[in-house]
Amino acid sequence: MNTPIDISEEAGVRYLHFGSDWVQGAMRIRKPDALELAYTREMMAGLLLRDGLAEDTGRWPKKVLIIGLGAASLAKFVYRHCPQARIRVVEIAPTVVAAARQFFKLPAEDARFSIHVGCGAQYVLEKDETWDYILVDGFDRNARAGALDTLPFYQAVRSRLSGQGLMAVNLFGRSRGYKASVERLLKAFDDRVVAFPSCDSGNVVAFAADGEAIERPLAELRERAHLLKTTTGLDLGPTITRLEQSGSVPGGSLRL
């Protein structure tokens, strides 16, 4: 797949574009491992939902699959802050991988970090491997997700999740809104789906779970968010406030 690549910079932030004005990724040059875009921060909210914060041998996640590399924001964050995790990135366009290496400080491949160039949907359908955290953020130059926003793909993702498995997906720009995407997720995951309220950029991040049920009271989410900010610099406090204000946590607990 030959994806056109454009790089722009403004106010200390470097942006990735696929031959259009759509921002496909961003990096603050002085903080290359930080999550610059709001939706990328929210895609890491799984660290609040599963027991991934304690400094012990049971830390979650142990295996992470990232579909769609972009500016490598998610890959760099997980690589730095989840040292227990083995990470596989699947990216369809070799030009995106090359741009991430040249402009966005993509880590070198090693024993715990690898890149597969190919179709993310095909990879999930064909590779019989389970993952704790599957992060899906794949779009073309017209902000279309294609096979990554279909019922068979979501069903395949569910079949690849471990007993502690979570999927996070960026639904921005999909089919005149995100409700049809959420309906597909609900069907694939038997209603175990939470769609976060849209952030300022218009992105909607949805989480879907399999295996062990999740129930986190708002007070516990705030405590965990404070710990996450202390240990990684990632601030999900505003996300929790938006969840509460939007009515997304009925009864004061997030259930998934």
Side-chain angles (χ1 to χ4, degrees), residues 2-250:
N2 186 20
T3 298
I5 300 294
D6 295 314
I7 306 295
S8 65
E9 289 186 15
E10 183 178 351
V13 179
R14 183 173 295 159
Y15 296 97
L16 173 70
H17 311 268
F18 293 165
S20 72
D21 290 336
W22 291 107
V23 171
Q24 300 284 354
M27 177 186 75
R28 186 162 296 277
I29 294 170
R30 294 184 63 181
K31 296 181 179 179
D33 292 337
L35 295 172
E36 179 66 21
L37 300 179
Y39 87 89
T40 60
R41 296 194 288 271
E42 297 201 344
M43 288 189 75
M44 293 310 305
L47 295 175
L48 303 181
L49 304 179
R50 292 296 192 195
D51 290 322
L53 301 178
E55 294 283 355
D56 58 38
T57 56
R59 286 184 67 179
W60 181 96
K62 293 291 181 63
K63 291 181 63 182
V64 179
L65 177 63
I66 301 173
I67 297 176
L69 177 63
S73 301
L74 294 170
K76 289 185 296 184
F77 184 88
V78 175
Y79 187 78
R80 177 173 179 179
H81 296 293
C82 301
Q84 78 285 358
R86 284 200 300 114
I87 306 152
R88 168 69 51 85
V89 175
V90 180
E91 169 55 52
I92 197 168
T95 51
V96 173
V97 179
R101 287 194 175 116
Q102 183 175 354
F103 298 106
F104 295 99
K105 299 187 183 299
L106 179 68
E109 293 184 70
D110 60 19
R112 53 181 291 259
F113 179 70
S114 61
I115 297 170
H116 172 83
V117 176
C119 172
Q122 185 177 354
Y123 185 92
V124 171
L125 287 164
E126 294 180 356
K127 298 290 185 180
D128 186 15
E129 191 169 1
T130 57
W131 306 88
D132 298 323
Y133 207 5
I134 298 180
L135 301 157
V136 181
D137 185 26
F139 298 96
D140 65 15
R141 62 185 299 181
N142 298 308
R144 295 177 302 205
L148 298 178
D149 185 25
T150 62
L151 180 60
F153 172 69
Y154 292 141
Q155 290 170 328
V157 167
R158 181 179 180 180
S159 74
R160 303 298 184 225
L161 290 175
S162 69
Q164 290 278 311
L166 271 182
M167 172 197 192
V169 55
N170 175 23
L171 299 177
F172 173 69
R174 297 189 180 180
S175 62
R176 295 191 181 129
Y178 63 92
K179 292 186 179 179
S181 303
V182 172
E183 288 299 322
R184 286 187 279 274
L185 282 166
L186 288 166
K187 185 172 182 179
F189 283 85
D190 293 332
D191 296 337
R192 292 190 61 187
V193 177
V194 172
F196 283 16
S198 175
C199 39
D200 293 341
S201 60
N203 297 74
V204 171
V205 173
F207 284 85
D210 198 43
E212 186 178 329
I214 295 169
E215 182 170 354
R216 299 285 188 194
L218 277 168
E220 183 181 354
L221 286 175
R222 289 195 184 93
E223 290 175 5
R224 294 170 70 83
H226 177 74
L227 176 59
L228 187 63
K229 184 178 180 181
T230 300
T231 56
T232 71
L234 174 58
D235 185 6
L236 289 174
T239 296
I240 296 170
T241 298
R242 283 179 26 253
L243 280 170
E244 182 176 22
Q245 292 174 345
S246 69
S248 301
V249 281

